[in-house]
Amino acid sequence: MIGKGQSISHTSASMSYGWNQEKNAEVVFRQHLVGVNPNEITMEFKRIQALNTDCKRNTLSFVLSPTIKDGQRLKNKDLEKIVSKFMKQMKLKDRQAIAFVHRDKSHTHVHLYVNRIDFRGSAYNDSFVGKRSQHAAELVAQELKLTTVKQVQFEREFDTRRIRSEMKRRHELTLKQDRPQSFSEYVKGMASKDITVTPTINKQGSLQGFRFKFKGHDFKGSEVHRTMSMGNIGKHIVQNTSYERLVSPENTVRLFEKTLKITQNMALSWAKKTIKRTIEKGIGI
């Protein structure tokens, strides 16, 4: 579960958004309030806020977002418990508050509005309220055995590692089986394995590298694995063809119908690879 929080001054507009019937909004929590619509609730907030004219951002706005899987099974009474425990963690128990659930999308989430001014006219300390609300949501999730942010991050990182590993496997398969003799052939080979390779071109119009897209993930080559940088891909390609066929004397390469510049250092590294291979062949003979 994720928790976000901030102090706001536009109480009426936020309250109207929270109670938006187009989003199938339902009240799941309220305390010290009797109003039946956003305007009435806002007026009740303002009566208490009049006790402290120095505080301008006098309403606290929070969003509590369980994971999609948790949200699908949580009933309104469960969400009420979540809000109640969150209020307790944030030390907001004795203030006017109202919370609405939005279920108009697959991701169920709760909008909680709390009067920053208490019944004595004191303003709630909102220092680092965003960070504190995230920590409070984490503690509530642990207590109620919901998925926490750390668990979500771990699962996401695990999934990312798995995706990267598969992309690297298909990259190696392309180099080994297809033996591309140009960048165009390499891009086609990867496309046949469901990976979209997009060139990255800098402001000077030079080919700087490639991005790889696979199953909704998008990475730079070096982010997948160091062997998938443009320099290393080029070194593999020159093993299948001559350096002169890959790079022109003007330090350009062909990518389908385009002629793209490459840096002199990049061209030099591929030339060295070709020379080294030639020497190794000579020694073998």
Side-chain angles (χ1 to χ4, degrees):
M1 183 169 70
I2 296 173
K4 297 179 181 178
Q6 61 179 328
S7 299
I8 61 172
S9 56
H10 43 280
T11 307
S12 179
S14 295
M15 203 76 72
S16 297
Y17 175 82
W19 215 326
N20 189 342
Q21 295 306 304
E22 291 181 7
K23 297 182 178 293
N24 303 323
E26 295 179 86
V27 177
V28 293
F29 178 89
R30 68 159 68 214
Q31 69 178 21
H32 305 309
L33 294 168
V34 295
V36 294
N37 60 53
N39 288 335
E40 291 178 1
I41 298 294
T42 300
M43 290 306 299
E44 289 184 60
F45 267 47
K46 285 185 175 179
R47 289 191 191 100
I48 303 302
Q49 288 166 351
L51 298 174
N52 187 326
T53 56
D54 295 327
C55 184
K56 303 303 178 187
R57 295 179 179 272
N58 46 23
T59 295
L60 296 167
S61 172
F62 300 98
V63 179
L64 301 176
S65 302
T67 61
I68 293 176
K69 190 174 179 180
D70 285 343
Q72 288 172 344
R73 67 178 177 80
L74 291 171
K75 307 298 182 186
N76 284 5
K77 63 179 182 179
D78 301 316
L79 296 173
E80 180 183 14
K81 184 184 290 186
I82 287 171
V83 174
S84 179
K85 288 184 178 296
F86 177 80
M87 291 275 290
K88 185 177 179 181
Q89 287 289 347
M90 293 294 290
K91 297 180 171 53
L92 290 165
K93 290 188 297 179
D94 299 320
R95 294 167 189 267
Q96 293 172 312
I98 189 164
F100 312 92
V101 59
H102 287 181
R103 298 184 186 273
D104 58 315
K105 297 179 181 177
S106 60
H107 204 156
T108 299
H109 57 280
V110 174
H111 289 271
L112 167 64
Y113 302 99
V114 184
N115 200 333
R116 190 177 165 191
I117 311 303
D118 66 15
F119 294 110
R120 295 171 297 174
S122 299
Y124 179 80
N125 183 354
D126 66 346
S127 301
F128 307 105
V129 68
K131 234 174 212 182
R132 287 191 285 130
S133 61
Q134 177 55 69
H135 180 62
E138 190 87 2
L139 293 175
V140 172
Q142 288 175 4
E143 184 180 350
L144 298 178
K145 294 182 170 50
L146 300 174
T147 307
T148 66
V149 173
K150 289 178 181 176
Q151 288 172 311
V152 171
Q153 288 173 341
F154 174 79
E155 289 170 6
R156 188 177 294 141
E157 286 170 8
F158 178 80
D159 185 56
T160 299
R161 286 198 299 271
R162 185 177 58 81
I163 289 291
R164 286 176 177 170
S165 177
E166 179 60 21
M167 292 171 79
K168 180 175 176 285
R169 187 187 72 81
R170 298 187 187 204
H171 156 77
E172 290 171 345
L173 204 60
T174 299
L175 295 176
K176 186 176 180 180
Q177 291 186 345
D178 299 350
R179 294 184 61 80
Q181 297 188 16
S182 68
F183 283 110
S184 299
E185 289 183 12
Y186 172 76
V187 171
K188 284 181 182 177
M190 291 292 275
S192 70
K193 296 168 185 62
D194 300 322
I195 295 180
T196 302
V197 182
T198 308
T200 302
I201 301 169
N202 63 22
K203 292 179 181 179
Q204 288 72 40
S206 297
L207 180 63
Q208 199 167 23
F210 295 103
R211 294 198 70 87
F212 296 80
K213 296 180 182 178
F214 179 60
K215 292 190 175 181
H217 295 264
D218 186 345
F219 300 106
K220 289 193 301 184
S222 58
E223 289 174 339
V224 181
H225 194 268
R226 59 185 178 80
T227 59
M228 291 176 68
S229 67
M230 189 181 83
N232 284 319
I233 293 170
K235 286 177 182 178
H236 276 281
I237 292 174
V238 294
Q239 292 179 12
N240 306 324
T241 185
S242 65
Y243 173 79
E244 291 75 15
R245 288 186 61 187
L246 182 65
V247 183
S248 75
E250 292 78 28
N251 287 345
T252 64
V253 294
R254 294 284 293 171
L255 185 58
F256 296 109
E257 302 304 317
K258 292 183 178 179
T259 300
L260 299 169
K261 295 178 184 177
I262 59 170
T263 65
Q264 189 172 359
N265 286 342
M266 187 74 71
L268 186 61
S269 71
W270 296 342
K272 285 180 178 177
K273 184 71 175 177
T274 304
I275 294 167
K276 183 180 178 183
R277 186 188 58 174
T278 304
I279 294 171
E280 287 172 349
K281 280 186 176 179
I283 291 171
I285 292 169

